[in-house]
Amino acid sequence: MTFQRARSAEQREVRRRAILETTSAMLDEMPVAEVTLNELSRRVGLAKTAVLRYFESREAVLLDLMDDRTATWLAELERELADGVDSSRSAPERAEQMADVLSRSLAAQRVLCDLFGAQGGVLEHNVSVEAVRRHKRASLGNLAVMADLIRQHLPEVGDRAELFCLHALIMGGALAAYAAPPPSLLAVYESEPALAVHHVDLRTALRLAIITSLVGMLPRS
């Protein structure tokens, strides 16, 4: 950014994108809970009060970032499902293939899973009614896109596709919290392996949860 103060709509959008991109880079280094406005403002090169002119709170930044990252991921998922699901197979076989693709794809989105996990309990707090309204509209739009992708390859799920997608994203958020244990817990697992019996591998756990939910939503013959 070569300008000192954003005056035009274009300059404001450039600065807004810079804030989101900086936050995204921070999340590649640290969990959602450790992202602070102070550190964000330092990295983006703006005063904290300047950042708050674009986003009303830390949570508002993270909600917008989650919506953006979800849309980007869904574009990737569309290609992955096209390559990984064979339309000539039976419904249960396609469900298995979809579970493989979806669990692999979602497990690779660790930052997005972290954001999903924080959404209800953290990110949707400390934001205004209008910010929540904007986020929910974007979130429902992304959910509709994902549901259309599921129905495209597994039309048998019908109008249950959106509910399945919601469950998959919630499970991604919940399981991600257990897939990256803190150093103290890793030390316990290393010193006493028997205690690691339920240590979560994110992709494996996601695949089991997804196939269970997906097959449960297929119509009974």
Side-chain angles (χ1 to χ4, degrees):
M1 294 178 292
T2 58
F3 47 88
Q4 293 296 314
R5 185 172 180 179
R7 299 183 184 279
S8 67
E10 292 79 5
Q11 288 176 335
R12 287 185 60 82
E13 180 59 20
V14 167
R15 188 152 282 173
R16 178 183 172 278
R17 295 305 311 175
I19 293 169
L20 289 175
E21 288 166 9
T22 301
T23 307
S24 183
M26 290 173 68
L27 287 171
D28 288 332
E29 304 172 15
M30 63 187 74
V32 167
E34 294 181 13
V35 174
T36 66
L37 270 180
N38 286 336
E39 180 61 13
L40 172 58
S41 62
R42 186 189 71 79
R43 293 196 187 199
V44 82
L46 293 171
K48 183 177 173 181
T49 53
V51 172
L52 291 173
R53 283 200 290 267
Y54 297 90
F55 297 93
E56 63 189 46
S57 64
R58 161 191 174 271
E59 289 76 15
V61 179
L62 292 167
L63 283 177
D64 272 21
L65 180 62
M66 182 176 72
D67 295 334
D68 283 1
R69 277 211 172 199
T70 302
T72 300
W73 169 61
L74 290 174
E76 298 171 4
L77 181 63
E78 181 177 13
R79 295 189 293 270
E80 293 168 352
L81 287 171
D83 292 338
V85 180
D86 184 349
S87 62
S88 67
R89 300 295 185 91
S90 67
E93 289 172 324
R94 280 180 279 122
E96 290 272 0
Q97 291 175 331
M98 185 170 289
D100 285 338
V101 172
L102 190 51
S103 60
R104 180 178 65 248
S105 184
L106 190 53
Q109 300 289 331
R110 296 300 285 266
V111 169
L112 192 53
C113 286
D114 197 12
L115 289 166
F116 288 144
Q119 180 180 5
V122 178
L123 301 187
E124 291 178 349
H125 299 253
N126 195 32
V127 285
S128 66
V129 170
E130 280 310 308
V132 170
R133 192 193 315 277
R134 185 173 61 252
H135 158 65
K136 283 300 182 184
R137 285 172 176 165
S139 182
L140 288 173
N142 283 330
L143 199 65
V145 170
M146 186 176 177
D148 284 343
L149 290 178
I150 299 304
R151 281 189 291 263
Q152 180 180 338
H153 297 282
L154 196 64
E156 291 83 356
V157 298
D159 58 8
R160 297 175 295 278
E162 287 205 7
L163 180 60
F164 162 72
C165 293
L166 180 62
H167 286 176
L169 299 183
I170 290 173
M171 289 184 292
L175 291 169
Y178 293 92
S184 57
L185 191 52
L186 288 174
V188 169
Y189 289 163
E190 186 175 348
S191 64
E192 198 171 343
L195 296 179
V197 63
H198 295 303
H199 177 43
V200 172
D201 173 75
L202 184 55
R203 184 184 174 187
T204 302
L206 268 175
R207 190 190 184 286
L208 177 60
I210 287 171
I211 193 61
T212 301
S213 177
L214 195 54
V215 170
M217 290 186 180
L218 290 178
R220 301 293 187 269
S221 49

